[in-house]
Amino acid sequence: MAEHNASIAETFRHVADLLEIEGANPFRIRAYRRAAQTVEDLPQSAAKMVADGKTLAGLPGIGKDLAGKITEIVNTGRLGALAEIEARTPTTLAALTAVPGLGPKRVHRLHEAFGIKTLKDLERAARKHKIRELRGFTAKTEEKILAEIERSQAREQRFKIATAEDFAQTLCTYLQADPRIGRVVVAGSYRRRKETVGDLDILVTCAKGQAAVNHFLAYDEIAKIVAKGSTRATVILRSGIQVDLRVVPAKSYGAALHYFTGSKSHNIAIRKIGQARGLKINEYGIFRDGTRIGGRTEEEIFAAVGLPYIEPELREDRGEIQAAFDGQLPKLISLEDIRGDLHVHTKASDGKSSLREMVEAARARGYEYVAITDHTKHATVARGLDEKRLAKQLDEIGKLSEDFDDIRILKSSEVDILADGKLDLSDSMLKRLDVVVAAVHYKFELDAQKQTERMLRAMDNKYVSILAHPSGRLLGEREAYPVDLERVIEGARDRGVALELNSHPARLDLDEVHCKLAKELGVKLVISTDAHSTFGLDTMRFGIGQARRAWLERKDVLNTRPWARLKKAIAR
DNA sequence: GCCGTTTTCGGCCCGACTGTTTTCAGTCG
């Protein structure tokens, strides 16, 4: 079984964690982490690259040594260097640094002094009041450790972007209500539109930092204050989400926003360039020889290092800085580019709104077309339509269309892909549709080869225009089913099928890495909502966010085109 | 361990908060 990029990345991160506990050179540790990120962001399989004899050295942060280690992992399934480290430092120690307040240094000392290797050992030692014997540890530390272990199940969770947005907006409204506070913006991975966020990073401007912090700390949804100072504070809300507040004066807004938006690796890269130009860049501004020379806007930060503005969604140190240097930044797709939704349900299957309501809601969003894609009969729990009911719906669409001259109602279906790759509708019925969306909804347990062939076979059907939610993942609930997405993407390219980026906040499927790969391989995408109610149409923004993270431009996405051009593009 | 707008060695981003270390190390982002 070929090593996945994710498992190679995990191995490197594990090495980094253990080296950190051993007190190794911090830059060596960072090198492993950086390489892990590069491998994880790689659109192709590193294992395949190795097999094809392609060199990995030269990729960002990967030199000769780490390229060799990747080859070793791919070829042997293990890493000798990791085994050597594990012989000295128990592998379980890495997990202990996840306890807030415990970093590598303290974990190392706890292991040295008491042989603590696991969370259980740690808990036992804290209960026996052993830990306070150590210099720098007190009874209070023990209490804190026990409290954190108690909460450890609740922690570590990430929140879907839509959920985070809900918490963030309420809090921002509250913060904005204080007249002393100027701007309020959510930065961090939220601003970069990641599919999930671990915490909320909120930046506000205020002449008096303490005033803003005090107002923040009075927010009634706060369950716990973790840290507080005169310019920043960290709290946990009752919902369990952590919020970091940072206050800066207005003149530092741009510098702080850039710093607080991240990503960390992007910031490091930018500051490094600044350093080479004799500049110091921090969250307060840009400095030359101790003199402030800018920082009011993000544009000033980029300009200081000779770059054009880089959109937040691109700031992952995945090549955006080089692209900016070369004048090759993509012109990212935006919500305004979208002309229609190609995946919506109605009451006829498992939707909550009527056909007319969905059409009116689509028109209200300024769309030129909307595809009605109810489930087919195999999806019994969703009350999927058999051919008779679908025929009836097509008649209804025909009639309803007479009432709308400014939006086209596309006859469509989210047709089930059966276990053998056949479709749940006859060709004669598929032929009557304007656009056919095919999707897998059951038999997730097939092995990767069978699942891949099933999907390729479905795309063999010449009436299929779009493959919906190709991986089947549900964030926080269900992993993608085993499937070779690279082959599916290549298969879509060879057959002229478009792939869906499903905007539902729990799906966001295809994921960003594979969206980018699809683009690079010349496969067109569509961004659809899979709306099951009129409100569901508004989730388009999450799909757009992810598309932007995947460097997608308007031309890469078919539902930015008027219907006549879209129709031509999906014709096979 | 990587890497070159100080280029093959000597650097590697930068600052806030916590605790009890009275001057800073550890942790975090």
Side-chain angles (χ1 to χ4, degrees):
Chain A
M1 179 63 195
E3 286 297 320
H4 286 281
N5 289 352
S7 59
I8 297 169
E10 196 186 317
T11 302
F12 279 176
R13 290 207 175 93
H14 193 53
V15 170
D17 289 345
L18 293 178
L19 284 176
E20 199 168 30
I21 290 166
E22 294 188 341
N25 177 349
F27 301 104
R28 187 170 162 228
I29 293 161
R30 186 194 287 171
Y32 275 98
R33 296 221 166 101
R34 172 142 165 72
Q37 192 62 55
T38 294
V39 172
E40 197 166 70
D41 293 339
L42 217 53
Q44 309 109 304
S45 148
K48 205 164 157 191
M49 290 177 73
V50 169
D52 294 347
K54 286 189 202 143
T55 173
L56 288 146
L59 290 168
I62 297 178
K64 222 168 137 190
D65 182 274
L66 288 177
K69 288 192 164 78
I70 292 171
T71 304
E72 184 189 346
I73 295 170
V74 168
N75 289 337
T76 68
R78 50 190 297 284
L79 181 61
L82 176 58
E84 281 173 32
I85 299 166
E86 283 174 333
R88 301 185 297 259
T89 305
T91 182
T92 52
L93 287 181
L96 294 183
T97 59
V99 177
L102 284 193
K105 297 279 197 305
R106 303 181 106 185
V107 166
H108 180 74
R109 290 185 54 211
L110 288 167
H111 176 237
E112 289 278 283
F114 307 120
I116 290 173
K117 288 188 217 153
T118 65
L119 217 53
K120 273 259 174 306
D121 296 341
L122 179 68
E123 186 175 1
R124 213 172 294 132
R127 288 205 194 289
K128 283 192 195 153
H129 304 309
K130 300 279 285 181
I131 290 176
R132 64 182 68 172
E133 295 168 13
L134 240 49
R135 219 172 69 89
F137 291 80
T138 63
K140 215 170 157 187
T141 325
E142 285 173 351
E143 275 171 39
K144 188 161 180 256
I145 286 171
L146 288 173
E148 293 294 354
I149 290 174
E150 188 93 346
R151 296 193 339 113
S152 64
Q153 286 91 341
R155 233 188 20 254
E156 263 311 295
Q157 64 176 328
R158 292 185 67 84
F159 294 81
K160 293 193 257 296
I161 181 91
T163 313
E165 187 180 85
D166 194 20
F167 297 137
Q169 282 176 351
T170 318
L171 175 52
C172 286
T173 304
Y174 167 81
L175 290 170
Q176 198 72 75
D178 188 321
R180 295 166 299 183
I181 291 178
R183 313 182 76 146
V184 177
V185 60
V186 188
S189 52
Y190 178 92
R191 183 161 179 251
R192 301 200 311 279
R193 305 312 281 169
K194 278 196 80 165
E195 60 197 27
T196 60
V197 304
D199 58 15
L200 290 174
D201 300 309
I202 299 188
L203 173 69
V204 306
T205 59
C206 189
K208 290 212 179 351
Q210 193 67 61
V213 170
N214 289 345
H215 178 62
F216 172 63
L217 293 176
Y219 187 50
D220 65 3
E221 283 188 35
I222 291 174
K224 188 182 167 203
I225 296 172
V226 178
K228 57 179 187 209
S230 60
T231 63
R232 64 181 301 173
T234 298
V235 305
I236 312 273
L237 298 185
R238 284 206 299 269
S239 54
I241 197 164
Q242 177 172 311
V243 183
D244 295 326
L245 180 87
R246 191 69 198 261
V247 192
V248 296
K251 67 175 180 186
S252 297
Y253 177 74
L257 182 57
H258 180 260
Y259 155 76
F260 223 24
T261 296
S263 69
K264 195 171 168 173
S265 52
H266 168 91
N267 287 354
I268 289 173
I270 292 287
R271 289 176 181 195
K272 231 167 116 176
I273 300 169
Q275 204 179 39
R277 295 178 158 226
L279 302 171
K280 185 173 75 166
I281 298 171
N282 60 27
E283 58 264 54
Y284 298 110
I286 309 158
F287 301 85
R288 184 186 294 283
D289 303 328
T291 308
R292 205 193 130 78
I293 58 167
R296 185 170 284 273
T297 66
E298 281 192 318
E299 283 80 357
E300 286 179 9
I301 302 292
F302 290 113
V305 292
L307 296 177
Y309 181 77
I310 299 175
E311 300 279 4
E313 293 92 339
L314 296 179
R315 300 183 199 165
E316 298 288 345
D317 195 21
R318 291 187 215 170
E320 75 280 6
I321 292 172
Q322 192 57 49
F325 263 125
D326 299 342
Q328 299 289 328
L329 282 174
K331 188 176 185 314
L332 297 181
I333 187 173
S334 71
L335 193 55
E336 292 69 38
D337 293 326
I338 297 294
R339 293 178 187 249
D341 200 325
L342 296 174
H343 189 163
V344 316
H345 294 271
T346 75
K347 271 184 185 167
S349 63
D350 58 349
K352 299 204 170 37
S353 308
S354 70
L355 174 60
R356 177 180 284 275
E357 286 166 339
M358 291 306 287
V359 174
E360 284 175 346
R363 183 173 65 171
R365 283 155 183 81
Y367 289 158
E368 296 168 21
Y369 47 85
V370 57
I372 305 302
T373 57
D374 277 311
H375 289 284
T376 53
K377 62 183 181 300
H378 189 276
T380 46
V381 284
R383 299 197 309 118
L385 280 58
D386 59 17
E387 304 214 345
K388 206 171 142 196
R389 287 177 65 210
L390 177 56
K392 189 167 156 261
Q393 187 184 53
L394 298 187
D395 289 344
E396 279 175 46
I397 289 175
K399 279 204 202 79
L400 190 64
S401 293
E402 293 169 14
D403 295 352
F404 294 91
D405 56 6
D406 54 355
I407 182 166
R408 179 181 289 267
I409 313 171
L410 299 176
K411 294 173 179 168
S412 186
S413 171
E414 182 182 10
V415 56
D416 246 68
I417 297 174
L418 303 178
D420 59 0
K422 290 199 187 111
L423 298 178
D424 198 21
L425 290 174
S426 65
D427 281 1
S428 60
M429 183 52 90
L430 294 172
K431 195 176 175 181
R432 295 180 58 190
L433 303 176
D434 293 313
V435 47
V436 173
V437 180
V440 164
H441 290 112
Y442 72 108
K443 279 267 181 198
F444 299 147
E445 70 279 8
L446 294 180
D447 67 40
Q449 187 176 343
K450 286 212 177 78
Q451 193 68 272
T452 305
E453 276 158 15
R454 174 192 189 185
M455 293 167 80
L456 292 175
R457 174 130 192 243
M459 291 193 288
D460 281 339
N461 186 305
K462 65 177 179 184
Y463 296 110
V464 171
S465 330
I466 298 165
L467 179 66
H469 44 71
S471 85
R473 73 166 178 181
L474 288 178
L475 288 167
E477 292 169 52
R478 186 173 79 206
E479 294 288 316
Y481 33 69
V483 60
D484 185 344
L485 281 176
E486 283 179 68
R487 270 186 74 201
V488 170
I489 293 169
E490 286 164 359
R493 177 195 58 201
D494 298 342
R495 293 164 178 79
V497 171
L499 296 177
E500 179 186 85
L501 192 187
N502 188 298
S503 298
H504 191 288
R507 288 194 182 271
L508 292 171
D509 179 9
L510 279 181
D511 66 45
E512 60 188 48
V513 170
H514 290 98
C515 278
K516 196 164 182 225
L517 177 63
K519 173 191 167 124
E520 285 162 4
L521 293 179
V523 179
K524 296 300 178 203
L525 291 124
V526 303
I527 308 178
S528 307
T529 63
D530 204 349
H532 282 69
S533 72
T534 55
F535 299 117
L537 293 171
D538 290 327
T539 61
M540 185 65 81
R541 64 184 185 280
F542 303 117
I544 293 291
Q546 174 152 298
R548 290 165 63 86
R549 289 181 58 76
W551 296 46
L552 297 191
E553 304 178 86
R554 189 168 64 186
K555 63 177 163 55
D556 302 316
V557 177
L558 292 181
N559 54 323
T560 60
R561 304 183 184 182
W563 167 241
R565 286 185 50 217
L566 169 59
K567 188 178 175 185
K568 251 176 123 170
I570 59 176
R572 297 175 60 184

